[in-house]
Amino acid sequence: MALKKSETYHIIKKQIEREPAGLVEVSINCPFGYPAVVKVYPFFNKRVFPTTYWLTCPYLNKEISKLEDQSWIEKIQDKVNNDNALIEKLDKAHANYAQIRMAMLSQEEIDQIKEISEDIIYTLKHSGVGGIKEKKGIKCLHTHTADYLVNKENPVGKIVFDKTGWPDKCKICEELKKDE
């Protein structure tokens, strides 16, 4: 099923319950043809948005929130802290995320940002998944999962997605589409 551009925008707006500011594209659709991850521009309206990939899928958002409520951030953090291979993969995912974010900006935009604040440029260049500055820590499973779904490299996102996965059936976004 292919959604028209206006339908896609409407679904995303319903999924996130607000206007999708800075929307660049739908990066991943769910198996049912609805937006699951969107890409957001890192700087607009003179504000920085270091979270490049947003998980919009209501099913995954709900399931991942349940995991966060069950202390999965801490469980995965402990796993990462005790596994050098996972640390290395996570460092690579953070670096890749920052590169993707910076590649979206033109030199003119980078110059404009520098005029506002060198700290913003530093954040965009050096923060990791979801804008995290302390890259050894995990602050949100949703952002790691969104990154994993798009780039297939994020070990935290992989752990989470392996735990949740896509449902066999889902009508959530179909219902959102009807609710115009």
Side-chain angles (χ1 to χ4, degrees):
M1 166 192 63
L3 295 173
K4 294 178 188 170
K5 190 173 184 178
S6 62
E7 289 176 316
T8 299
Y9 186 86
H10 173 75
I11 291 293
I12 294 166
K13 185 177 173 181
K14 291 288 189 173
Q15 288 174 325
I16 65 174
E17 300 177 340
R18 62 178 168 76
E19 291 291 327
L23 180 65
V24 173
E25 67 183 16
V26 174
S27 297
I28 297 290
N29 284 318
C30 72
F32 310 102
Y34 292 99
V37 178
V38 296
K39 189 176 191 179
V40 176
Y41 208 70
F43 183 79
F44 56 95
N45 295 334
K46 297 186 178 182
R47 293 181 53 208
V48 64
F49 293 89
T51 302
T52 303
Y53 298 113
W54 285 85
L55 188 64
T56 63
C57 171
Y59 170 82
L60 287 178
N61 274 320
K62 182 179 177 184
E63 294 303 307
I64 293 169
S65 289
K66 288 178 190 176
L67 292 177
E68 287 183 346
D69 289 345
Q70 297 166 3
S71 301
W72 274 81
I73 290 175
E74 293 82 6
K75 290 175 187 177
I76 295 172
Q77 184 70 65
D78 287 343
K79 186 174 182 134
V80 169
N81 289 347
N82 294 300
D83 187 329
N84 288 333
L86 280 178
I87 291 170
E88 196 172 298
K89 287 178 184 177
L90 186 56
D91 286 346
K92 184 178 177 186
H94 283 308
N96 184 53
Y97 201 93
Q99 287 173 346
I100 290 167
R101 187 172 44 225
M102 287 303 295
M104 286 193 279
L105 297 169
S106 69
Q107 186 58 52
E108 182 179 323
E109 290 168 316
I110 291 169
D111 293 341
Q112 289 173 357
I113 296 167
K114 284 180 182 177
E115 286 179 26
I116 296 168
S117 169
E118 287 287 335
D119 187 50
I120 294 173
I121 285 294
Y122 184 85
T123 296
L124 292 173
K125 279 184 180 179
H126 301 287
S127 65
V129 173
I132 194 165
K133 291 182 181 179
E134 177 50 55
K135 295 178 192 167
K136 301 292 182 223
I138 300 167
K139 71 176 185 177
C140 176
L141 299 180
H142 297 82
T143 58
H144 285 276
T145 304
D147 180 47
Y148 170 73
L149 289 171
V150 174
N151 296 307
K152 300 294 187 216
E153 293 182 2
N154 189 310
V156 172
K158 180 177 181 353
I159 292 167
V160 173
F161 190 69
D162 286 350
K163 183 83 175 147
T164 61
W166 298 114
D168 293 331
K169 295 179 183 177
C170 184
K171 302 275 186 195
I172 298 169
C173 291
E174 188 175 314
E175 293 300 317
L176 291 175
K177 186 178 172 185
K178 290 178 187 176
D179 183 29
E180 293 191 32

